[in-house]
Amino acid sequence: MNTPLPPADELVLVDRELARLDARRTELLARRAWLIQALYAPVRAMTPPPPGTGMVADSTPRSAQNVLLTLGGTLLTIAAVAFTLVSWGSMGIGGRAAVLLVVTSAAVASPVALLRKGLVSTAESVAALGLVLMILDAYALHRVALAGTDGLGYTAVASAVLAGAWTAYGSALPRLRIPLPAAVVAAQLPLPLGALAAGSGPTAFAWAALVTAAADAAAVLWARPTAVRITAATGATALGGWSLLTGVWLSLSSPWSGAPLLLAGAALTLYVAWRRPGLAVAASVLAGLSAVTALGGLLRSALPSDWTVPGYVLCGLALAWLWRADGTRDAPGTTAKTAWLPRGVRQGLAAAGTGVVALGGLWALPPAAVGLLGPVARTTDVWSGEHAEPQLTSYPATAALVLLVSAAALAAVPRLWARCGALAAVWALLTALPVSLDLPYATTLVLQLLTTAAALWLAVRPGPLTRGLRQRGATDAAAEQSSGPVPPPLPGPGTPWAGWAPLRPPTRATVVEPRTALGWCAYAGGLASAVSAVALALDVRGATFASLGLLLGLFTGVAVLGEGARRVVSACAAVLTATGLVLAVAAAAGFEDHWTAVALLLVPAATAAVGARTRTGPTALAVEITGACAGLLALGIAASRPAFLALALALGGVIAAATAVRPERRRFASWTAAVLFLLATWVRLAVSDVTTPEAYTLPVTVPALVVGFLRRRRDREASSWTAYGPGLAATLVPSLVAAWVDPHWVRPLLLGVAALGVTLLGARFRLQALLVLGGGALALDGLHELAPYVVQVVDALPRWLPPALAGLLLLAVGATYEQRLRDARRLRERLGRMR
């Protein structure tokens, strides 16, 4: 029987079928368009061109008309300018006045008649010519009748007159599009030019520009023609920006002169933001920055210089607080409180205030950077008792206050990003306090250790940091429940979709858990403070031991109580801290380097014991790897004394052998133990000046091979490397090293014969270890024997022959590259099939 699908699965099937139908419809429409083109293209090709033309027209009559009118108006304008500037002086006063009056009157009056006849484009061209002639009339009037007047003042008055005349002209003839924007352009000049003509300073000019920008803003808000609004907006942006920049400059040099200008500009932009929601955010940001600059400048003039930045930060905080004070909402599902500021305005003002606070926080970071990195950039010897000279002594101590205020402001915002920022600000404050307050050495170290402990504790228990955060889960669920009723599903039984496979439901975006994000923020600060505290503690011996011991306990606690990656990192940090503690104990006890290396092997031994206890998991593996790195450090320290290097290698082999008892580490640890034991043997032989290493290695090789043979009999799946590899390497490698430095022929001959026998046995019984080790030893032994003859031959050959032979070899290899790859792959497969 047919069973109905769940509504979600059936909806997926319906959507899939609709998408298939849409794709088919698109395909059919494309085919239809191609068929139409194929059917009617020959008909269009046979259609003759329009009468009187030999080609198809590539422009419309309207565009051709506009081009002709534009060219005609431009030529008439050029002619008028040339007449005014060049031919003006050859006529008398009466003639000049008559020509200007007649031409200008005709150009201004002609659009009226042209508009009545419907010739709008022609009227536009003639009206543009009339506007240009009016400008020339003003110029001519100044040259003839008012030559003694000031040029700037006359231009200001003439601009005002022309702006009024063009406004009236454009209002009387609303079908003309040029006069009103031209009037707006002319209106930009009267007040700024009048201020310059009056000999006023930059303050008066800025005020004139701001008043003009206010008039432009009024045109933007209330004018109807789009061209007028665009022209006014451009003028308002240019003049308003100039006035605000002047206000910023005055706020730095003369705050009481720049503050009113900035506040007036802020009020103007805020009004525009209020009336135009599309510009609300950008205009409110500009208004907020202007207000903060004005008020911060006034505070700067009244406060000491160290309080300059805190003054600006306080102004920014007051501005940013508008979002919280005016934008508080009720619980989900209820009506939001009425805000007296629009949302866009509040967003812009809050963004401006937040930006100012962020800049103040950046200004306060240098003391934190010095407090963190200063001890790392050491200038004194370890345990010398001397301390580095204090840095940034002249930096204002109010930087700590800025960090404190920033942390408090961010903590009040119930958002995850703000809480993380507050945590970072608190950590920066604690790190910067020793620098800002010039605290003594002991207090600085204690403060850093306390900061580390607090940060690591919060990394393990970030619960207190999440209090008050808004959780999105409940809000989203409420929104989904209140979004409306769910549409009923399509009929289930008997539907054609019953047998279709449902698609995978859409997945939600990954959301970062607040505990995780805050825990990692605290943990990062704790690690940084721990490194700085260790570097600072190296000045004094007792402080070093106290700091390392405390940090070892802290990291161990985080490794035990923590979760996830923080647990793994803390375990590794605990191992590194223990390594540093062992080095400090060895240095305090006066150990020589080789005894220090032996003491360092306690770290990998301890990590192996911890790994054996925890057995599995990423923490155990990370701890053992970190302990192995400490063991490598011990081997490097012991390298200066080969005898102790052999001892360290042997002890490392013992630790690896003990680790190999565990099933999950057996393979890798057993190989490591064998290698370490072999290296210890070889180093011991080299230290003892043994010239016949076979006397010491063969007694080890023979029992090892017997044990391997017996294991292979019990376990046919055992690898030849595990059974025979350590025993063969114990003799072949030391013998090969001895053969390379042996001037006689007996040892190389015996080694070659033995290696050949091992190679043949490996090929006969398909044993990979015997074939590889025997073949490698045989090749190296033969190379050693042929080396003197090769050198003699090379010396006897011409200098050009080796490069030529190398080139031929490369060509041959390149020509048979694919074949060589197949051969190498085949050889690798054969070796891989061996045991």
Side-chain angles (χ1 to χ4, degrees), residues 69-133:
L69 291 176
T70 302
L71 290 176
T74 302
L75 293 175
L76 288 176
T77 301
I78 294 174
V81 173
F83 171 77
T84 304
L85 298 178
V86 179
S87 303
W88 183 257
S90 60
M91 300 180 63
I93 297 177
R96 302 172 189 173
V99 170
L100 284 174
L101 179 61
V102 171
V103 175
T104 304
S105 300
V108 172
S110 297
V112 179
L114 293 174
L115 289 175
R116 290 177 181 175
K117 294 181 180 182
L119 303 176
V120 180
S121 299
T122 306
E124 289 281 1
S125 300
V126 177
L129 176 62
L131 299 183
V132 174
L133 289 175

Side-chain angles (χ1 to χ4, degrees), residues 180-203:
L180 290 179
V184 174
V185 174
Q188 309 302 309
L189 301 177
L191 291 179
L193 292 181
L196 293 177
S200 303
T203 304

Side-chain angles (χ1 to χ4, degrees), residues 375-572:
V376 178
R378 170 168 301 281
T379 58
T380 58
D381 295 333
V382 176
W383 292 354
S384 63
E386 299 178 357
H387 310 301
E389 293 293 332
Q391 303 293 327
L392 291 181
T393 55
S394 61
Y395 207 84
T398 52
L401 177 62
V402 171
L403 291 174
L404 177 61
V405 173
S406 302
L410 288 171
V413 179
R415 291 290 185 271
L416 179 59
W417 61 267
R419 198 61 55 87
C420 292
L423 185 60
V426 171
W427 174 84
L429 171 63
L430 296 176
T431 308
L433 277 180
V435 178
S436 298
L437 303 181
D438 194 16
L439 298 179
Y441 173 81
T443 307
T444 302
L445 181 59
V446 170
L447 182 60
Q448 285 191 347
L449 291 175
L450 290 177
T451 303
T452 304
L456 293 179
W457 178 79
L458 290 175
V460 176
R461 295 290 183 265
L465 299 176
T466 61
R467 294 176 182 172
L469 286 180
R470 293 184 181 178
Q471 301 294 333
R472 297 188 61 181
T475 304
D476 294 343
E480 292 176 0
Q481 292 176 3
S482 61
S483 59
V486 180
L490 293 177
T495 57
W497 333 112
W500 287 34
L503 293 176
R504 180 177 297 178
T507 58
R508 292 186 177 181
T510 303
V511 179
V512 179
E513 290 292 333
R515 291 176 58 88
T516 303
L518 292 170
W520 273 111
C521 288
Y523 191 69
L527 289 180
S529 297
V531 174
S532 181
V534 171
L536 183 63
L538 292 178
D539 290 349
V540 180
R541 178 181 301 181
T544 302
F545 285 103
S547 300
L548 290 176
L550 177 61
L551 292 177
L552 179 60
L554 290 174
F555 284 125
T556 303
V558 177
V560 173
L561 301 176
E563 299 176 353
R566 292 193 293 273
R567 183 176 185 178
V568 177
V569 176
S570 299
C572 297

Side-chain angles (χ1 to χ4, degrees), residues 708-753:
F709 176 74
L710 295 177
R711 180 177 179 184
R712 288 273 298 173
R713 289 186 61 181
R714 292 194 309 269
D715 184 10
R716 291 292 181 179
E717 299 297 327
S719 172
S720 62
W721 287 99
T722 304
Y724 305 119
L728 291 175
T731 294
L732 289 178
V733 176
S735 299
L736 185 61
V737 174
W740 270 80
V741 297
D742 192 346
H744 304 288
W745 59 272
V746 178
R747 184 190 302 276
L749 177 60
L750 294 177
L751 177 62
V753 171

Side-chain angles (χ1 to χ4, degrees), residues 37 42 76 159 190 214 264 301 314 354 377 387-388 418 489 548-549 623 673 708 824:
Q37 183 179 7
L76 288 176
S159 300
S301 64
L314 290 177
T354 304
H387 310 301
L548 290 176
V623 166

Side-chain angles (χ1 to χ4, degrees), residues 171-183:
S171 300
L173 300 176
R175 298 180 64 185
L176 297 178
R177 293 173 295 177
I178 295 179
L180 290 179

Side-chain angles (χ1 to χ4, degrees), residues 583-603:
L583 290 174
V585 171
F591 287 177
E592 297 183 9
D593 290 345
H594 49 279
W595 288 113
T596 301
V598 175
L600 269 179
L601 292 176
L602 293 173
V603 176

